[in-house]
Amino acid sequence: MSTGTLLAIVIPVVVVVALIALAVALLMRRRRLRERFGPEYERTVEGADNRFAAERELSERSKRHADLDIKPLPDSARDRFSRDWDSVQQEFVDRPEDAVHDADRLVTSLMQARGYPTEGFDQQMKDLSVEHGRTLGHYRAAHEIDTLSIGHQATTEQLRSAMVHYRALFDELLSDGGQTRHAPA
């Protein structure tokens, strides 16, 4: 066999193998991101120009999150936050709008105590999405109702729903201190 014929066979085989390896790597990355981000994966893909841009965004979130100093709460802080939540729930009976605002502030305070930056809602959502993607919908829904309540446009049922949504994220943040950190995707 001549060198030209051999190269004509080897080069396409190498290219095909490289393309297969790339496709497998991309599929594995996609699977890891889906598992890690849960429903937030699909939400990010829907809001992006394309799947690759969304996956790049999620990978960047993972890298940023890896640089954060997320830490477990000491038992004393966990107990204090639990007592504060009980107070907020009791407040709901007489002042539901105030209770929802206080629940929002308490969740933000808990995030900060755990080591999450709290410089803005959008960034909070991105930072939380890495480890709390499955409860992020609760936080988003609660925040929307809280925003409605600022203009006194939320019904009592919506305010009650906001408390339930805040509680889902609050419980996860409160109890999540002992879980291990994930490696960046």
Side-chain angles (χ1 to χ4, degrees):
M1 225 188 266
S2 73
T3 304
T5 305
L6 191 57
L7 286 176
I9 294 172
V10 171
I11 290 175
V13 168
V14 169
V15 168
V16 168
V17 168
L19 289 174
I20 290 171
L22 178 63
V24 168
L26 289 174
L27 289 173
M28 289 175 55
R29 176 181 177 222
R30 181 171 296 157
R31 192 184 85 232
R32 280 192 314 271
L33 288 170
R34 271 195 170 124
E35 288 172 1
R36 182 159 198 192
F37 285 90
E40 189 64 16
Y41 174 88
E42 292 303 327
R43 181 173 172 67
T44 304
V45 168
E46 289 171 10
D49 293 337
N50 59 59
R51 185 174 299 276
F52 292 112
E55 290 176 353
R56 186 173 40 256
E57 160 72 18
L58 293 171
S59 292
E60 288 170 8
R61 289 183 195 182
S62 292
K63 289 174 187 164
R64 174 183 158 91
H65 189 273
D67 292 337
L68 299 176
D69 185 24
I70 308 301
K71 56 194 170 288
L73 290 175
D75 289 340
S76 60
R78 185 175 285 113
D79 292 342
R80 180 179 51 83
F81 277 108
S82 291
R83 284 190 306 274
D84 290 349
W85 182 263
D86 290 342
S87 295
V88 168
Q89 280 187 301
Q90 290 172 3
E91 178 185 23
F92 185 82
V93 174
D94 295 323
R95 296 184 319 276
E97 284 182 344
D98 292 340
V100 168
H101 300 318
D102 289 345
D104 181 69
R105 283 191 288 275
L106 185 58
V107 166
T108 301
S109 178
L110 176 55
M111 288 171 51
Q112 191 170 33
R114 290 284 315 277
Y116 286 98
T118 55
E119 65 254 15
F121 181 72
D122 289 338
Q123 189 60 53
Q124 287 175 3
M125 294 294 287
K126 289 177 182 179
D127 291 337
L128 286 171
S129 71
V130 178
E131 287 189 358
H132 305 284
R134 296 191 188 328
T135 55
L136 209 51
H138 289 288
Y139 190 39
R140 189 175 285 112
H143 185 74
E144 288 173 10
I145 295 168
D146 185 40
T147 301
L148 278 176
S149 73
I150 291 171
H152 307 291
Q153 298 174 337
T155 66
T156 303
E157 182 56 29
Q158 287 174 314
L159 294 170
R160 186 199 64 74
S161 178
M163 292 295 290
V164 171
H165 289 307
Y166 277 128
R167 181 64 191 240
L169 179 60
F170 179 85
D171 284 346
E172 188 169 303
L173 284 168
L174 194 66
S175 65
D176 200 32
Q179 291 193 3
T180 57
R181 302 278 308 266
H182 296 280

